[in-house]
């Protein structure tokens, strides 16, 4: 499934294979001479020099002097928020259309504005638009360029609008699309897991608690447990999307406006559910970002746990899983090594995603109502962690920076983690013989033996104690429960009869599970079939 160019994390051309990300482009910002890796793969020409004459700010009417270079460098956000250009233009088009409908601008002015915005968007997509740091952010860059291009009509665009409601509108639109992309990736991973499970329908593996052998389970049952977790991740994101999808545009700075705008029209045109009810709330809160990051963090933890388990299973000590060469790496010094690096990195990147959430929680905790400039920092700091700090330092000392800004970083990380997990699942095999040889160790059938005694009328706590003594007898004899003679078992407790051997051994133990959702063969086959139907996987 090819992604469209609307993604601010990547741009996928028509020829891009399914599930692949396009290579990032670079963007130049006037006033620094630095090249920033772009998330949208649109590149722009390099601005000429730091010495270009500054223009008057669009907000500069009450000021007699311009800001210093240090303040300008400190307060600019264009080096990363330019990535919102598509959504900023989308919002401006809806706003201009509404202003004309309400008689606040003429239809002619509206058409001129819309045509100018189309031209600017084309320039950006073709890498011909010059982003200027002295214009601070994506909004002012586009508006100033529009004024240069079409003149007086463009000066009417900001009627009944503030950058406060403008940025949060852009961000909600961006989050909405980002969630949709993550949901696609989650489903792709689920399909890979269900497909993998279908190849090993009858394979029994040790189930672990405390990383100690516990009970036998079917491998598909284990793989489907990941699918269930991913489904809840998808549910959290879908629920988050519902709350994201309300329109703040028209809230202005914080108090709304005395002009007769129609916020319901802009909400409808932008495919929002409705306008936000309270203008102060609309511009001041970032709970939708926090919720999105929290959902990402939980998903990242799930992916990290899968990564941990598969790294362990690929080790020589386990030997249960073999990744293909396509998803493995080697060592620079040890020629024999074959490492499951992708899953190790999934495990590692989860820390960064969780750090994204922690950063923004701390950022938001002390902010008074309504809008605060700190929220701009939230865009670039959502993902701050040591690796990101290193890259930011590289930015200032070697003019290199990876695409690791704000909220963008969390989404990029999750998309990458899901993609590589999907490919890993498609390129591994489970070592059935090695697994089967390992099954006798650990008395995996002990709990099933306790269930046997319960069926014979023995209270469970008594059954637990009896089976514990039986296991101790096996330790003494260096044998398995199924290898004990009936006389040995009767010596432990007289409730044991000849039919006990129908409960001993991992195959018998698995076949005795019958409860809903259990690892019993019939239950697992039903779970597999349900997921195949739900995910649209053909037989």
């Amino acid at each position: 499934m090819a992604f469209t160019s609307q993604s601010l994390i990547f741009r996928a051309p028509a020829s891009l294979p399914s599930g692949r990300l396009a290579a990032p482009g670079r963007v130049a910002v006037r006033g620094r001479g630095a090249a920033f890796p772009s998330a949208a793969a649109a590149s722009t020409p390099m601005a000429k020099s730091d010495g270009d004459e500054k223009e008057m700010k669009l907000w500069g009417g009450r000021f007699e002097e311009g800001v210093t270079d240090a303040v300008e460098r400190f307060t600019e956000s264009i080096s990363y928020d330019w990535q919102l250009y598509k959504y900023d233009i989308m919002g401006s088009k809806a706003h201009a259309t509404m202003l004309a409908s309400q008689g606040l601008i003429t239809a002619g002015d509206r058409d001129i504005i819309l045509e100018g915005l189309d031209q600017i968007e084309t320039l950006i997509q073709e890498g011909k638009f010059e982003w200027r740091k002295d214009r601070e952010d994506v909004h002012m860059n586009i508006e100033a360029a529009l004024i240069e291009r079409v003149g007086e009509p463009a000066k009417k665009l900001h009627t009944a609008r503030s950058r406060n409601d403008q940025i949060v509108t852009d961000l909600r639109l961006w989050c909405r699309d980002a969630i949709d992309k993550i949901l696609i990736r989650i489903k792709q991973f689920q399909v890979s897991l269900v497909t993998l499970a279908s190849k090993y329908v009858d394979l029994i593996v040790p189930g672990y608690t405390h990383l100690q052998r516990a009970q036998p389970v079917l491998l598909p049952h284990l793989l489907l447990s990941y699918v269930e977790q991913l489904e809840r991740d998808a549910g959290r994101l879908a629920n988050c999307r519902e709350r994201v999808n309300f329109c703040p545009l028209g809230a202005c700075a914080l108090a709304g406006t005395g002009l007769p705008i129609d916020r319901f029209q802009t909400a409808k045109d932008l495919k929002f559910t409705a306008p936000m009810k309270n203008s102060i709330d609309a511009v001041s809160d970032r709970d939708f970002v926090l919720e999105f990051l929290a959902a990402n963090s939980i998903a990242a933890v799930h992916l990290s746990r899968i990564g941990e388990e598969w790294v362990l299973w690929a080790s020589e000590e386990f030997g249960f899983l073999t990744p293909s060469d396509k998803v493995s790496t080697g060592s620079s010094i040890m020629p024999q090594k074959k490492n499951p690096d992708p899953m190790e990195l999934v495990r590692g990147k989860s820390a960064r995603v969780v750090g994204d959430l922690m950063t923004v929680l701390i950022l938001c905790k002390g902010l008074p109502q309504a809008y605060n400039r700190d929220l701009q920092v939230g865009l670039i700091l959502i993902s701050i962690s040591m690796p990101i700090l290193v890259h930011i330092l590289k930015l200032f000392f070697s003019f290199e920076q990876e695409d690791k800004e704000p909220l963008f970083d969390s989404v990029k990380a999750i998309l990458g983690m899901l993609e590589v997990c999907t490919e890993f699942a498609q390129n591994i095999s489970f070592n059935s013989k090695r697994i089967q040889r390992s099954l006798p160790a650990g008395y995996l059938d002990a709990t099933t033996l306790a269930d046997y005694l319960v069926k014979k009328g023995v209270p469970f706590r008594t059954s637990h104690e009896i089976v514990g003594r039986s296991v101790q007898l096996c330790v003494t004899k260096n044998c398995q429960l199924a290898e004990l003679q009936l006389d040995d078992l009767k010596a432990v407790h007289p409730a044991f009869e000849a039919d006990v051997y129908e409960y001993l051994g991992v195959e018998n133990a698995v076949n005795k599970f019958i409860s809903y959702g259990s690892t019993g063969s019939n239950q697992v086959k039903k779970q597999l079939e349900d997921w195949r139907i739900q995910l649209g996987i053909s037989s």
Side-chain angles (χ1 to χ4, degrees):
M1 182 178 300
F3 293 99
T4 70
S5 62
Q6 291 188 4
S7 168
L8 293 181
I9 294 299
F10 52 85
R11 182 179 64 188
S15 60
L16 190 67
S18 173
R20 300 280 185 174
L21 298 184
R26 304 179 77 80
V27 59
V29 179
R30 180 175 185 156
R32 173 174 288 162
F36 297 90
S38 83
S43 59
T44 62
M46 185 67 66
K48 294 181 180 178
S49 72
D50 289 349
D52 293 322
E53 184 178 349
K54 296 178 182 178
E55 66 184 7
M56 180 178 176
K57 305 289 188 184
L58 292 179
W59 45 258
R62 63 96 66 220
F63 293 87
E64 295 182 357
E65 296 180 286
V67 299
T68 68
D69 289 343
V71 169
E72 189 161 84
R73 286 194 302 270
F74 193 69
T75 58
E76 67 85 19
S77 60
I78 189 59
S79 56
Y80 54 89
D81 70 11
W82 74 271
Q83 298 175 70
L84 295 170
Y85 78 89
K86 185 174 293 292
Y87 301 97
D88 197 69
I89 290 173
M90 188 186 306
S92 290
K93 287 180 177 179
H95 188 66
T97 300
M98 180 276 295
L99 291 176
S101 297
Q102 296 300 107
L104 292 169
I105 65 174
T106 66
D109 284 346
R110 174 201 61 202
D111 294 342
I112 291 171
I113 290 169
L114 296 181
E115 182 179 355
L117 289 170
D118 284 338
Q119 293 171 357
I120 289 171
E121 185 170 16
T122 299
L123 288 174
I124 295 171
Q125 291 171 343
E126 293 177 350
K128 298 176 181 178
F129 185 84
E130 182 182 83
W131 298 101
R132 292 181 50 165
K133 191 173 66 177
D134 60 334
R135 290 175 177 172
E136 299 180 10
D137 56 35
V138 63
H139 323 296
M140 304 298 272
N141 264 265
I142 290 174
E143 184 178 349
L146 186 65
I147 291 171
E148 288 177 349
R149 183 166 290 270
V150 305
E152 287 299 311
K155 295 181 179 180
K156 302 175 183 180
L157 177 59
H158 211 57
T159 303
R161 188 176 70 170
S162 164
R163 279 188 293 177
N164 296 359
D165 60 336
Q166 194 173 354
I167 180 56
V168 73
T169 300
D170 294 356
L171 204 54
R172 283 178 179 269
L173 290 168
W174 186 89
C175 287
R176 190 174 70 184
D177 280 3
I179 289 170
D180 290 343
K181 291 178 177 64
I182 295 172
L183 291 174
I184 291 171
R185 287 287 171 88
I186 287 176
K187 183 175 180 180
Q188 290 172 340
F189 187 27
Q190 287 178 305
V191 168
S192 294
L193 289 170
V194 172
T195 302
L196 184 62
S198 299
K199 296 177 181 178
Y200 299 93
V201 175
D202 299 317
L203 181 58
I204 299 171
V205 298
Y208 293 85
T209 63
H210 309 277
L211 206 55
Q212 303 296 315
R213 294 203 165 192
Q215 291 180 277
V217 297
L218 288 169
L219 177 61
H221 193 214
L222 176 62
L223 295 175
L224 291 180
S225 72
Y226 306 150
V227 177
E228 296 282 352
Q229 292 168 359
L230 290 164
E231 186 67 12
R232 290 193 296 275
D233 293 331
R236 274 183 285 271
L237 286 163
N239 289 340
C240 174
R241 191 190 190 283
E242 291 179 6
R243 283 177 285 279
V244 164
N245 202 37
F246 285 85
C247 185
L249 194 58
C252 300
L254 78 161
T257 178
L259 296 171
I261 63 172
D262 185 350
R263 294 188 60 212
F264 287 90
Q265 179 182 338
T266 49
K268 181 180 179 181
D269 289 348
L270 293 170
K271 295 182 172 58
F272 284 113
T273 302
M276 296 185 71
K277 295 179 179 180
N278 185 297
S279 62
I280 297 176
D281 174 54
V283 299
S284 65
D285 207 355
R286 292 298 185 270
D287 56 358
F288 70 96
V289 173
L290 292 171
E291 185 177 1
F292 188 10
L293 291 177
N296 278 355
S297 296
I298 296 171
V301 168
H302 283 152
L303 297 176
S304 179
R305 293 185 67 186
I306 296 171
E308 168 69 4
E309 188 153 86
W310 284 359
V311 167
L312 283 175
W313 280 30
S315 69
E316 194 64 37
E317 284 69 24
F318 279 79
F320 291 175
L321 178 157
T322 300
S324 77
D325 291 353
K326 294 179 181 179
V327 290
S328 303
T329 64
S331 165
S332 63
I333 189 173
M334 296 171 285
Q336 85 282 9
K337 292 297 293 295
K338 182 178 180 179
N339 302 321
D341 267 16
M343 300 314 292
E344 295 178 63
L345 289 171
V346 165
R347 192 177 57 192
K349 285 180 181 293
S350 66
R352 196 167 81 194
V353 177
V354 174
D356 297 346
L357 172 62
M358 295 300 104
T359 300
V360 184
L361 281 169
I362 294 170
L363 175 74
C364 291
K365 73 176 181 63
L367 298 183
Q369 302 283 57
Y371 179 82
N372 296 272
R373 192 66 181 270
D374 309 50
L375 296 174
Q376 172 183 302
V377 180
L379 277 174
I380 193 168
L381 293 183
I382 284 174
S383 58
I384 285 297
S385 62
M386 284 308 297
I388 298 165
L389 281 172
V390 169
H391 287 296
I392 291 176
L393 289 172
K394 284 182 180 179
L395 163 66
F396 289 103
F397 291 106
S398 64
F399 302 113
E400 294 179 6
Q401 178 190 18
E402 292 187 26
D403 182 21
K404 301 206 183 297
E405 282 84 37
L407 176 61
F408 307 154
D409 182 76
S410 176
V411 172
K412 180 180 177 181
I414 284 291
L415 286 169
M417 292 165 71
L418 285 164
E419 181 184 32
V420 80
C421 283
T422 300
E423 291 206 355
F424 202 84
Q426 293 168 349
N427 288 280
I428 59 175
S429 59
F430 290 93
N431 304 324
S432 300
K433 292 183 180 179
R434 175 76 173 262
I435 293 170
Q436 288 167 355
R437 287 197 304 269
S438 77
L439 288 174
Y443 310 104
L444 296 171
D445 48 357
T447 305
T448 307
L449 183 59
D451 290 344
Y452 166 83
L453 291 171
V454 169
K455 292 178 180 178
K456 294 292 185 179
V458 180
F460 179 77
R461 277 296 163 212
T462 304
S463 299
H464 189 286
E465 187 268 334
I466 293 168
V467 174
R469 287 193 282 123
S470 301
V471 169
Q472 184 57 47
L473 180 60
C474 288
V475 173
T476 301
K477 289 178 169 287
N478 191 27
C479 68
Q480 301 301 313
L481 286 167
E483 296 172 340
L484 290 174
Q485 299 296 315
L486 183 58
D487 288 344
D488 293 329
L489 290 168
K490 282 185 171 290
V492 177
H493 196 277
F496 288 116
E497 298 178 4
D499 61 347
V500 67
Y501 295 102
E502 298 174 8
Y503 289 76
L504 295 177
V506 292
E507 292 84 2
N508 287 334
V510 165
N511 289 333
K512 294 301 179 183
F513 287 99
I514 59 173
S515 61
Y516 177 79
S518 70
T519 201
S521 180
N522 290 335
Q523 287 294 318
V524 172
K525 288 177 180 176
K526 178 66 167 58
Q527 293 170 41
L528 257 178
E529 183 59 25
D530 288 347
W531 275 113
R532 294 177 75 86
I533 293 171
Q534 184 168 334
L535 295 172
I537 303 173
S538 58
S539 301

